[in-house]
Amino acid sequence: MTLNKYLKIGVLGGMGPEASVAFYNRIIKLFQQEQGAQYNFEYPEMLIHNIPSPDNVEAGVEDELADYLLSSTRLLESAGMQLLAIPCNSAHVHIDKVTKAAQGKVMNIVEETAKVIHQSGIDKVLLLATKSTLKYEIYQPYLMRLGIEAIVPSASHQELITRSIMSVCDGSINNQTRNDIAKLVAAYSDAQGVVLSCTEIPLIIGQADLCIPCFDTAEILARATYEYCLNRN
Amino acid sequence: MTLNKYLKIGVLGGMGPEASVAFYNRIIKLFQQEQGAQYNFEYPEMLIHNIPSPDNVEAGVEDELADYLLSSTRLLESAGMQLLAIPCNSAHVHIDKVTKAAQGKVMNIVEETAKVIHQSGIDKVLLLATKSTLKYEIYQPYLMRLGIEAIVPSASHQELITRSIMSVCDGSINNQTRNDIAKLVAAYSDAQGVVLSCTEIPLIIGQADLCIPCFDTAEILARATYEYCLNRN
């Protein structure tokens, strides 16, 4: 029924919902800006699943979150989606399970980000992430393989990052949140770059607020998904 | 699998995509602001279908658009969605077919808007809509039933509205677009209110830009969907 030839994109979203809204918007903007899309049929077919999954910012849910992701994978693929993306870094603790269960391509935000950092030549980065992303060392193996060292924020800084992410999730984010995070980044003077390795963080802070190169994992995932969606052969 | 008791919302979206992104965002904000939602499981399960359907802003596609809507209805209901919403006024030319085909509740943006205008006591409104919404007289019967008169913009004003909507659809919208539409509204001095009866129009102009009461159909649909989703018994 699709008029265009783009791959159909399934999104395992809602973790949190604000980041999924932003991901949907980023994909639309990429099609407008780089493909000149304006009519409905010039955009890809997408199915965005807002999953009411357990919290994965403050808590570190394991099996239950995996059940949600696998169930959503089945739902999206049954509906014909050919390419899956998860705009949530913490949920990537289960990326291998999702990739194994899926019939089609599953984008990996961590792998795509590590590639972009490597291409930039930077080899020491600060991770701004949820406690679970840090606790399960979701980034370290991918970075290490490419010779990139990861700096993990201190326990008190992890608390501040968590509070900031939750202010996006409950809609209470303000300018102070942005200032707090910028100040936190400045405290790690040996970092050559900073990875916004939670998809809520680009909703708080961006390159314009930081003095060192900034890797926006939400943007990197959107671009990688967009590219894959075009190069469907 | 859902932890909360909200109805599962299916969205027939992508007509255009920008309006669907805004609708998704509005639902999330309503749950944050009125239910205090912050954790993933405190938001409803949603499935947003970005459908690459034929253009319905400049053209007036009939049967083909209905096929897309009915196919999406099946897809969303097969995936377990219990409440459907279409954040596109023009697509409501087929609302009766969708309502008949659906197993669950289908929100009707036109009916919900007419109710809100009626409650306000206003009985003469200007319709800012796509040519197809005007051509198929999607609003008139619902308004007439409640004793509300509809003012239809002139042919040249319809052209201007179409160009403005397309500037949202291709991402080229700017301040001039907002000024043009505000000026257009002012030309209809007998209108007591203005209906933003295309879900792209609230992305151009809002109550703050207008001197007469403004009925934002995108906001009205989001609120009605939210209320229905809560009152699931």
Side-chain angles (χ1 to χ4, degrees):
Chain A
M1 207 171 77
T2 309
L3 297 177
N4 62 49
K5 287 178 186 165
Y6 301 136
L7 281 187
K8 300 180 182 184
I9 305 173
V11 180
L12 292 88
M15 299 167 284
E18 297 260 357
S20 300
V21 170
F23 181 78
Y24 185 14
N25 199 35
R26 280 186 174 96
I27 295 284
I28 297 306
K29 294 289 174 211
L30 283 166
F31 275 88
Q32 285 175 349
Q33 291 159 5
E34 305 198 5
Q35 299 296 315
Q38 53 175 334
Y39 296 109
N40 302 337
F41 55 84
E42 295 174 320
Y43 292 92
E45 183 168 348
M46 293 179 76
L47 198 55
I48 297 137
H49 193 192
N50 196 81
I51 314 169
S53 63
D55 166 50
N56 55 346
V57 172
E58 294 181 62
V61 178
E62 296 190 57
D63 290 349
E64 207 182 344
L65 178 58
D67 290 345
Y68 274 87
L69 294 173
L70 295 175
S71 165
S72 183
T73 300
R74 282 191 296 275
L75 184 157
L76 294 169
E77 292 203 324
S78 301
M81 299 305 113
Q82 300 157 304
L83 164 61
L84 301 184
I86 313 173
C88 172
N89 283 278
S90 305
H92 277 66
V93 67
H94 299 302
I95 193 68
D96 291 342
K97 286 181 199 163
V98 173
T99 304
K100 201 174 159 196
Q103 308 285 313
K105 169 76 176 175
V106 181
M107 304 307 299
N108 182 330
I109 198 170
V110 187
E111 192 176 358
E112 298 296 337
T113 301
K115 274 196 272 180
V116 172
I117 300 171
H118 184 59
Q119 281 156 10
S120 78
I122 281 173
D123 59 16
K124 196 166 189 178
V125 290
L126 173 68
L127 296 180
L128 291 186
T130 62
K131 283 187 219 164
S132 27
T133 296
L134 297 172
K135 175 180 163 197
Y136 296 109
E137 302 202 334
I138 293 179
Y139 268 84
Q140 285 84 332
Y142 287 90
L143 294 175
M144 222 184 296
R145 230 171 284 151
L146 297 172
I148 304 160
E149 190 184 333
I151 304 170
V152 171
S154 69
S156 68
H157 281 161
Q158 287 187 35
E159 286 301 333
L160 173 61
I161 297 168
T162 299
R163 283 201 305 278
S164 304
I165 294 169
M166 287 310 299
S167 80
V168 175
C169 295
D170 69 10
S172 70
I173 177 180
N174 59 35
N175 274 337
Q176 187 59 45
T177 320
R178 178 175 300 112
N179 294 341
D180 287 348
I181 295 290
K183 212 168 140 191
L184 181 157
V185 171
Y188 295 85
S189 55
D190 51 342
Q192 295 164 16
V194 57
V195 190
L196 314 185
S197 34
C198 166
T199 50
E200 262 85 18
I201 294 190
L203 304 175
I204 305 172
I205 202 167
Q207 187 63 71
D209 310 296
L210 298 168
C211 303
I212 52 171
C214 158
F215 300 93
D216 178 339
T217 60
E219 186 62 42
I220 291 168
L221 179 69
R223 174 159 291 279
T225 305
Y226 161 75
E227 299 281 355
Y228 199 91
C229 176
L230 295 183
N231 300 313
R232 60 268 175 193
N233 305 318
Chain B
M1 210 170 75
T2 308
L3 295 179
N4 63 50
K5 285 178 189 167
Y6 300 135
L7 281 188
K8 299 180 183 186
I9 305 173
V11 181
L12 292 87
M15 301 167 284
E18 295 260 357
S20 300
V21 170
F23 180 78
Y24 184 15
N25 199 35
R26 280 185 173 96
I27 296 284
I28 297 306
K29 295 287 173 212
L30 283 166
F31 276 88
Q32 284 174 349
Q33 290 159 6
E34 305 198 6
Q35 299 297 316
Q38 54 174 334
Y39 296 110
N40 302 338
F41 55 84
E42 293 173 321
Y43 293 92
E45 182 168 348
M46 293 179 75
L47 197 55
I48 296 137
H49 192 192
N50 196 81
I51 313 170
S53 64
D55 166 50
N56 56 346
V57 173
E58 295 182 62
V61 179
E62 298 191 58
D63 291 351
E64 206 184 343
L65 178 58
D67 291 345
Y68 274 88
L69 294 173
L70 295 175
S71 165
S72 183
T73 299
R74 282 192 296 275
L75 183 157
L76 294 169
E77 291 202 325
S78 301
M81 298 306 112
Q82 299 158 305
L83 165 60
L84 301 184
I86 314 175
C88 172
N89 283 278
S90 306
H92 278 67
V93 66
H94 300 302
I95 192 69
D96 291 342
K97 287 182 199 163
V98 173
T99 304
K100 201 174 159 198
Q103 309 286 312
K105 169 74 176 174
V106 180
M107 304 306 299
N108 183 331
I109 197 170
V110 186
E111 193 177 359
E112 298 298 336
T113 300
K115 274 195 274 179
V116 172
I117 300 171
H118 185 59
Q119 283 157 8
S120 78
I122 281 174
D123 58 16
K124 196 167 189 176
V125 290
L126 174 68
L127 296 180
L128 291 186
T130 62
K131 284 187 217 166
S132 29
T133 296
L134 297 172
K135 177 180 162 196
Y136 295 109
E137 301 201 335
I138 294 180
Y139 268 83
Q140 285 83 333
Y142 286 91
L143 294 176
M144 223 183 297
R145 229 171 285 152
L146 298 172
I148 303 160
E149 190 184 332
I151 304 169
V152 172
S154 69
S156 67
H157 281 161
Q158 287 187 34
E159 287 300 331
L160 174 61
I161 297 168
T162 300
R163 283 200 305 278
S164 304
I165 294 169
M166 287 310 300
S167 80
V168 175
C169 295
D170 68 11
S172 70
I173 177 180
N174 57 37
N175 274 337
Q176 187 59 44
T177 320
R178 178 175 301 111
N179 294 340
D180 288 346
I181 294 289
K183 213 169 140 190
L184 183 156
V185 171
Y188 296 86
S189 55
D190 52 341
Q192 296 164 16
V194 57
V195 190
L196 313 186
S197 35
C198 166
T199 49
E200 263 84 19
I201 294 189
L203 304 176
I204 303 172
I205 203 166
Q207 188 62 70
D209 310 296
L210 298 168
C211 302
I212 53 172
C214 157
F215 299 93
D216 179 340
T217 60
E219 186 61 43
I220 290 169
L221 179 68
R223 174 159 292 281
T225 305
Y226 162 76
E227 299 282 355
Y228 199 94
C229 176
L230 295 183
N231 299 313
R232 60 264 173 194
N233 305 318

